[in-house]
Amino acid sequence: MKERLEALKLEALQELSGVQSQQELNDLRIKYLGKKGPLTEVLRGMGALSAEERPVIGQVANDVRAAIEAVIEEKQAGYQQQETENRLRAEMIDVTLPGRPSQQGAVHPLSKVIQEIEDIFIGMGYTVAEGPEVEQDYYNFEALNLPKDHPARDMQDSFYITDEILMRTQTSPVQVRTMEKRQGEVPIKIICPGKVYRRDDDDATHSHMFTQIEGLVIDRNVRMSDLKGTLLQFVQEMYGKETRIRLRPSFFPFTEPSVEVDVSCAMCGGVGCRTCKQTGWLEILGAGMVHPRVLEMGGYDPKEYTGFAFGMGVERIAMLKYGIEDIRHFYTNDLRFLKQFLHL
Ligand code: PHE
């Protein structure tokens, strides 16, 4: 029996030395050490041995088993090492490769211009106020001195949702909402940026949705000259120190007197060019002294308080500043257009 065990050991070690793969190693482990293997069989036959022989053979069998196991372990460790090395090689990262540049987003040119305008007015002590785009007829028209049958409502063709609710046609309703909120307190000094909606056919200078910035100042002794000085300061910061303004009489139901404000053309410096249609002037905003009726409806006594208001189209301001010829560029998201403003 001892010889059989020694022969078994030799055979096993012989076969193990030629092993080529993990699979083969597994097979040999089962073949020699498994439950149905020759070693188990020998050990099972030990019952038939004499009491003196049993421990001797038992010892030999254990030695054989240990010898085979040791070789298998050693081979197994080798395979594991190999496998780890393979994985490390496969997953190797070359940290010296130059990185791929990632696409970077940027602030939309309109948002930039809004920020710029906000900064200028914040520098003059204004705060930013906002209001809803879906607005009540009362705030958009009525409280701005535009009762239901007022012909001036036709100046702003509106998207109505119900008889009393519409998409706001201007940012002026934020004036009314602010007055209501402040309950007669002064001073009010706000600018209100936001989207507005009108039933216009879209073309190079019209868009059914565009952006306005509204300004409102209410206090004691606010005068037309304050409005003029404020707007001059604004355009000079926006378009350059040499910029001039011109006020022309106009009409808005919520201001009296009302003016339209022109700036000297930044393209030609006022001598006349294509942009200003040879006039040297560009109209950029509407403004005026807050109508006494509007003050009253907002809860401010017009005998004690006065105010001025102005409203401008942000797209127009941006188009003039950057020489953009079509308002639709702001909304079609053509990257070739947007990329020109990456570094502003
Ligand atoms: N809300 C006016 C418009 O959209 C602009 C404006 C605002 C005029 C404030 C005067 C005062 O046409």
Side-chain angles (χ1 to χ4, degrees):
M1 191 161 249
K2 196 172 162 204
E3 288 75 47
R4 250 186 83 194
L5 282 168
E6 290 298 347
L8 192 60
K9 177 175 156 189
L10 273 182
E11 184 195 329
L13 294 186
Q14 176 96 43
E15 232 185 317
L16 278 168
S17 70
V19 101
Q20 292 290 354
S21 68
Q22 173 81 61
Q23 182 60 43
E24 270 178 52
L25 186 64
N26 287 346
D27 290 347
L28 288 183
R29 188 205 311 274
I30 293 166
K31 176 172 173 190
Y32 287 104
L33 303 179
K35 280 207 192 87
K36 291 186 185 132
L39 203 55
T40 316
E41 205 181 302
V42 171
L43 290 171
R44 228 180 255 135
M46 293 229 312
L49 296 178
S50 69
E52 298 90 63
E53 265 183 318
R54 213 176 289 155
V56 181
I57 295 301
Q59 183 63 48
V60 175
N62 278 340
D63 290 348
V64 168
R65 184 180 187 91
I68 295 174
E69 263 172 359
V71 175
I72 289 178
E73 285 307 307
E74 189 189 320
K75 295 245 173 220
Q76 183 62 38
Y79 279 121
Q80 236 139 36
Q81 166 106 18
Q82 185 86 48
E83 201 182 308
T84 312
E85 266 165 27
N86 285 347
R87 179 132 37 101
L88 284 177
R89 202 169 306 121
E91 293 175 1
M92 190 162 68
I93 296 169
D94 182 354
V95 292
T96 65
L97 273 181
R100 278 183 219 108
S102 55
Q103 286 268 355
Q104 223 184 349
V107 180
H108 192 275
L110 265 186
S111 304
K112 282 207 174 123
V113 173
I114 292 173
Q115 276 168 12
E116 200 176 341
I117 297 173
E118 283 180 359
D119 283 349
I120 294 172
F121 281 101
I122 286 169
M124 293 193 259
Y126 287 65
T127 54
V128 177
E130 286 181 335
E133 288 169 31
V134 180
E135 186 55 285
Q136 297 171 37
D137 184 280
Y138 173 78
Y139 290 114
N140 194 79
F141 287 133
E142 219 149 312
L144 287 164
N145 198 27
L146 277 139
K148 282 259 156 60
D149 53 357
H150 199 292
R153 283 195 177 206
D154 296 345
M155 286 164 74
Q156 302 178 356
D157 238 343
S158 318
F159 289 113
Y160 272 91
I161 291 166
T162 68
D163 281 352
E164 293 302 328
I165 295 175
L166 73 160
M167 302 307 290
R168 69 176 175 197
T169 58
Q170 47 187 354
T171 40
S172 305
V174 186
Q175 290 187 27
V176 184
R177 287 178 172 275
T178 304
M179 282 189 268
E180 258 186 15
K181 220 178 283 163
R182 297 293 298 275
Q183 301 195 347
E185 255 179 57
V186 287
I188 290 179
K189 271 179 102 173
I190 51 159
I191 48 161
C192 324
K195 296 189 185 78
V196 299
Y197 301 81
R198 291 188 194 175
R199 277 175 51 175
D200 271 329
D201 289 328
D202 293 357
D203 60 26
T205 54
H206 294 84
S207 172
H208 60 281
M209 183 204 83
F210 61 101
T211 318
Q212 278 193 337
I213 290 191
E214 187 89 5
L216 173 71
V217 172
I218 296 176
D219 206 343
R220 293 183 179 86
N221 303 317
V222 177
R223 293 161 305 175
M224 190 89 179
S225 53
D226 296 318
L227 169 63
K228 195 174 170 187
T230 302
L231 294 178
L232 183 61
Q233 177 70 25
F234 163 65
V235 299
Q236 291 190 339
E237 286 195 47
M238 195 72 195
Y239 292 110
K241 258 283 158 256
E242 63 296 336
T243 313
R244 288 158 292 132
I245 55 170
R246 175 174 84 170
L247 272 52
R248 284 179 291 108
S250 184
F251 170 79
F252 298 104
F254 30 88
T255 46
E256 183 58 38
S258 302
V259 290
E260 248 151 63
V261 181
D262 300 340
V263 289
S264 53
C265 180
M267 298 288 160
C268 60
V271 281
C273 67
R274 239 187 61 202
T275 305
C276 59
K277 302 201 180 83
Q278 310 306 330
T279 64
W281 295 97
L282 295 160
E283 187 204 320
I284 57 157
L285 50 84
M289 300 307 290
V290 181
H291 197 290
R293 288 254 281 283
V294 174
L295 284 171
E296 218 161 46
M297 279 188 277
Y300 286 78
D301 181 357
K303 288 197 205 70
E304 199 177 341
Y305 301 108
T306 49
F308 65 73
F310 55 87
M312 64 187 112
V314 180
E315 286 82 353
R316 186 161 164 77
I317 303 273
M319 287 165 83
L320 295 176
K321 183 157 174 138
Y322 298 116
I324 298 162
E325 79 290 356
D326 194 321
I327 194 172
R328 289 168 293 194
H329 285 319
F330 290 114
Y331 301 110
T332 40
N333 289 332
D334 186 333
L335 288 179
R336 290 169 302 178
F337 171 73
L338 295 174
K339 275 186 177 155
Q340 297 175 57
F341 300 92
L342 273 182
H343 304 294
L344 283 190

